[in-house]
Structure formats: structure tokens, C-alpha cells
Amino acid sequence: MADPTIRVRLDELLKERGMTLTELSHRVQITVVNLSILKNGHARAIRFSTLVRLCDALDCQPGDLLQYDRPTRT
């Protein structure tokens, strides 16, 4: 059985809003490199203050940004 994961849906939200990662970076005052780490699933944690800024800039709820992927049972 694969491990469960939390997936960050940043790519999907950016596409839906017609926004680039660079534009989001300027709006939330987080480097493009750090946003890229988050977007690509390599972040190990996210601060609530960062989550608040992302939700504000993307006009979304935390549940829109994060998705729980259940493991498949074999």
C-alpha cells in the first residue's frame, strides 16, 4: 500500500486564475524558489501565515489548495 500524501494544488489554482508563479510570488512576498518547492510537492511543512497569504492572493480556502490523496489498497 502506498503512503497517503497531501498534494498542493497550486498549479491548478494558478491556471484557473490566469496567474503566473512569479506574479503570485510578488503578491505573497515568497520567493519563486520556495513557491516552486511547495508546488512540486517537495515542501515538508507550510506555515499558517503562508497559507493565509496564499489563500488571500488566490481567493481560495485552504481546502482548495490542499488535497489528501488516499493510498490505494492492493
Side-chain angles (χ1 to χ4, degrees):
M1 174 172 23
D3 290 333
T5 59
I6 299 292
R7 188 169 66 84
V8 179
R9 298 185 59 248
L10 197 50
D11 257 348
E12 294 95 327
L13 292 173
L14 288 171
K15 285 177 188 171
E16 288 172 9
R17 284 147 180 80
M19 189 184 301
T20 65
L21 198 61
T22 302
E23 183 181 348
L24 180 62
S25 170
H26 290 298
R27 288 185 184 197
V28 297
Q29 300 292 302
I30 299 171
T31 66
V32 172
V33 171
N34 284 335
L35 284 177
S36 184
I37 289 168
L38 182 64
K39 178 179 76 96
N40 292 318
H42 297 291
R44 298 187 70 206
I46 184 170
R47 294 179 183 200
F48 282 143
S49 59
T50 300
L51 190 57
V52 166
R53 293 195 319 250
L54 288 170
C55 288
D56 186 51
L58 294 167
D59 190 28
C60 69
Q61 293 293 314
D64 299 328
L65 191 57
L66 303 173
Q67 178 177 325
Y68 173 68
D69 289 336
R70 291 183 184 273
T72 55
R73 298 183 188 265
T74 55

